[in-house]
Amino acid sequence: MLLLIKNCSACAAPLPDLGAKQCSRCKTRYCSPACQVQHWKEGGHDKLCKKINKRGGAEAYNLDQKYADYAAAAVKECAVDTKG
């Protein structure tokens, strides 16, 4: 499995390729149990976890988010280019 997310979701520390702590529901990866708890309590993971899981995990969720951002930017740019 190719992992695109290489940093802890809470503190951005580099993650090991194997053996990183994961959310049991959505498989978001963390550098430590403390970061996982902090992200749940203060980082908003509690509100996103079900959405991340429905999209197929953190990798797919983040790719979908980036795609949506880039598509919106492209639509905006095309509107400017084709105006008039």
Side-chain angles (χ1 to χ4, degrees):
M1 171 202 232
L2 175 64
L3 297 173
L4 301 174
I5 299 174
K6 300 285 187 179
N7 297 82
C8 176
S9 295
C11 73
L15 292 171
D17 288 336
L18 298 171
K21 178 72 176 154
Q22 294 182 0
C23 173
S24 61
R25 181 185 298 157
C26 71
K27 308 302 182 219
T28 296
R29 296 171 23 155
Y30 298 95
C31 66
S32 69
C35 273
Q36 183 179 10
V37 169
Q38 184 273 333
H39 199 223
W40 184 268
K41 289 182 177 179
E42 300 168 14
H45 187 78
D46 59 327
K47 293 172 182 66
L48 288 176
C49 188
K50 287 182 182 179
K51 291 178 186 177
I52 293 169
N53 189 41
K54 282 183 181 180
R55 293 249 178 100
E59 299 284 334
Y61 179 81
N62 285 309
L63 285 173
D64 287 348
Q65 292 297 107
K66 291 228 182 263
Y67 176 80
D69 292 346
Y70 289 132
V75 167
K76 186 176 179 180
E77 188 67 29
C78 284
V80 169
D81 289 346
T82 60
K83 188 175 184 179

